[in-house]
Amino acid sequence: MDLMEKIVSLCKRRGFVYPGSEIYGGLSNTWDFGPFGLALRKNIKALWWREFVEKEENILGLDGGIILSPRVWEASGHVENFTDPLVECKSCHTRFRADQLGDTKKCPDCGGQLSEPRRFNGMFRTTVGATEDSNAVVYLRPETAQAIFINFKNIVDSFHPKLPFGIAQIGKAFRNEITAGNFIFRDIEFEQHELEYFLPEAIWEEKYDYWLAKMHDFAKLIGLAPEMVHEREHSPQERSHYSKKTVDLEFDFPFGRKELWGLAYRTDYDLRNHSEKSGVDLKYEGSFPHVIEPSMGVDRTMLAVLCSAYFEDEKRVVLKLQPSLAPYKVAVFPLVANKEELVGKARGIYEKLKKSFMTAWDDRGNIGKRYLSQDEIGTPWCVTVDYQTLEDDTVTIRDRNTTRQERIKVANLETWIKERLV
Ligand code: GAP
């Protein structure tokens, strides 16, 4: 099994990620997140919010809609430009992105003849209301950003922030990708953390560098090795229609070096267009603010975190997750499950720790198996209540990465964990 297969298998087995609609044979490129996947994503998103919103000055949050007026996507340029060149095999009817195939005119799957490329819009369309005529067509958002631009006036009217300031959002986005794949790397339904940072044009370069550095810092914080994260600037042909400069942070995934996150300088493109098309004046402090946009997918972040954390040797499989991201921070075990005093004491510690941390309880099988089980889901510390605990009120605490154990006072447990919870 290669590394990706091992990660996919662990994610399924241990309740991180399940294939979408599985009991009906699956629906390609859709995924459901189990209890630990949900916890990991929640922790990633909370850390992002902490770093990009709460620790910054002048960043406000928003939770905009997924279904926006189709006029939003006309004004933003997505109806016209959010397209990829699609070719279809005339024999097996598999579809490919022409720009990813090179010069070949033959189907990579069956050798059949490929059609001429046509522009394929990646937005999901649906209809609102009881009629299905073209007036009822709406799109699921392909980026969270537009909800921010169309609420710009609402936010400034409520808060009167001074430039520069930002509006941040975490939420679902949908893209009808022609070629999705590589597990949760490219899906059709995913989540983004996005920040639209509004500023006077004169300071865009300085702030661009600031947010780029911040993205590198975030990569370190979630446990990605700096030597596996690389900057790549888009060529003018490759840039999105709204961008004047885009730098991707790429990551060395097991299937190659690929885009992890992007940082775009969107100029005043969005506010200017929404202003023109809606007729609502979106100038602020005398002109259209310019925008720097760090855009970071939750799913790709989760995958990079899992790839970085996965470790195995002949004895065990371990997710060396940063403690702040781990679903459980600590697990509590009685040494044996059939000694009432041990179980009672351990339950007491578990109940107490649970109030401060996500805490697991396990009294099945033997201690060795319980350690291995917690290692696989990335629990940083395991506390065992043994006979000595009953004498001197100390427990052993085992470190996931080193497997070393130390004895500490029960009274010090909470502080001990808090001090190490980064
Ligand atoms: N608002 C700008 C924007 O959406 P993007 O480069 O198209 O820019 C930003 O997307 C980020 O969203 C990407 O760097 C990636 O992390 C994530 N992303 C984009 N498409 C994705 C997909 N199909 N599946 C998973 N994540 C995706």
Side-chain angles (χ1 to χ4, degrees), residues 187-198:
D187 359 63
I188 55 178
E189 171 180 348
F190 57 99
E191 258 180 302
Q192 293 182 313
H193 318 94
E194 291 201 306
L195 169 64
E196 307 305 317
Y197 192 70
F198 299 95

Side-chain angles (χ1 to χ4, degrees), residues 48-49 53 58-66 68 72-73 76 141 143-157 165-171 192-198 266 270-271 274 282 289-296:
W48 187 88
W49 199 258
V53 180
N58 263 348
I59 311 282
L60 299 154
L62 180 80
D63 191 4
I66 283 172
L68 309 178
V72 172
W73 305 107
S76 69
R141 65 185 183 198
E143 59 169 5
T144 64
Q146 293 304 324
I148 295 179
F149 297 125
I150 60 170
N151 277 290
F152 178 79
K153 189 166 174 352
N154 284 332
I155 297 266
V156 297
D157 286 351
F165 72 90
I167 305 178
Q169 178 167 220
I170 301 178
Q192 293 182 313
H193 318 94
E194 291 201 306
L195 169 64
E196 307 305 317
Y197 192 70
F198 299 95
R266 291 181 84 127
D270 299 273
L271 289 183
H274 285 306
L282 298 178
H290 281 230
V291 170
I292 306 287
E293 178 197 59
S295 180
M296 303 160 74

Side-chain angles (χ1 to χ4, degrees), residues 365-385:
N366 63 41
I367 281 283
K369 285 208 176 118
R370 294 181 212 154
Y371 284 149
L372 293 185
S373 169
Q374 294 299 327
D375 285 347
E376 260 196 349
I377 58 168
T379 308
W381 302 290
C382 292
V383 168
T384 301
V385 170

Side-chain angles (χ1 to χ4, degrees), residues 15-203:
F16 283 86
V17 186
Y18 303 124
S21 308
E22 197 184 11
I23 63 166
Y24 288 103
L27 177 66
S28 297
N29 306 306
T30 64
W31 304 94
D32 295 327
F33 297 100
F36 294 143
L38 163 74
L40 176 56
R41 293 168 77 79
K42 202 167 135 256
N43 294 339
I44 290 172
K45 289 186 270 185
L47 190 65
W48 187 88
W49 199 258
R50 179 101 198 93
E51 291 299 315
F52 283 79
V53 180
E54 292 168 0
K55 281 194 184 170
E56 291 289 331
E57 209 176 332
N58 263 348
I59 311 282
L60 299 154
L62 180 80
D63 191 4
I66 283 172
I67 300 171
L68 309 178
S69 162
R71 292 183 60 201
V72 172
W73 305 107
E74 280 155 25
S76 69
H78 282 77
V79 171
E80 197 186 329
N81 298 308
F82 195 68
T83 56
D84 288 317
L86 175 142
V87 286
E88 186 169 332
C89 172
K90 290 181 179 166
S91 305
C92 70
H93 300 288
T94 308
R95 293 167 159 197
F96 304 93
R97 265 178 63 172
D99 55 334
Q100 291 175 347
L101 285 184
D103 292 334
T104 183
K105 293 267 178 276
K106 297 260 178 262
C107 170
D109 284 1
C110 75
Q113 215 200 332
L114 294 174
S115 66
E116 283 305 308
R118 66 180 170 87
R119 305 298 305 174
F120 174 76
N121 194 296
M123 287 195 291
F124 277 103
R125 284 154 62 108
T126 186
T127 51
V128 171
T131 55
E132 291 206 1
D133 62 38
S134 57
N135 293 334
V137 167
V138 291
Y139 302 97
L140 304 189
R141 65 185 183 198
E143 59 169 5
T144 64
Q146 293 304 324
I148 295 179
F149 297 125
I150 60 170
N151 277 290
F152 178 79
K153 189 166 174 352
N154 284 332
I155 297 266
V156 297
D157 286 351
S158 307
F159 296 89
H160 312 288
K162 272 200 162 328
L163 289 173
F165 72 90
I167 305 178
Q169 178 167 220
I170 301 178
K172 291 265 184 185
F174 302 82
R175 294 185 191 180
N176 201 357
E177 299 279 3
I178 299 169
T179 46
N182 281 323
F183 194 32
I184 54 171
F185 176 79
R186 194 183 301 284
D187 359 63
I188 55 178
E189 171 180 348
F190 57 99
E191 258 180 302
Q192 293 182 313
H193 318 94
E194 291 201 306
L195 169 64
E196 307 305 317
Y197 192 70
F198 299 95
L199 73 182
E201 184 178 3
I203 61 168

Side-chain angles (χ1 to χ4, degrees), residues 344-368:
K345 180 75 186 166
R347 281 302 294 182
I349 294 172
Y350 165 71
E351 301 287 352
K352 187 150 186 290
L353 290 181
K354 224 167 127 50
K355 295 198 171 89
S356 304
F357 314 105
M358 279 293 289
T359 306
W361 168 262
D362 195 358
D363 60 2
R364 296 162 308 167
N366 63 41
I367 281 283

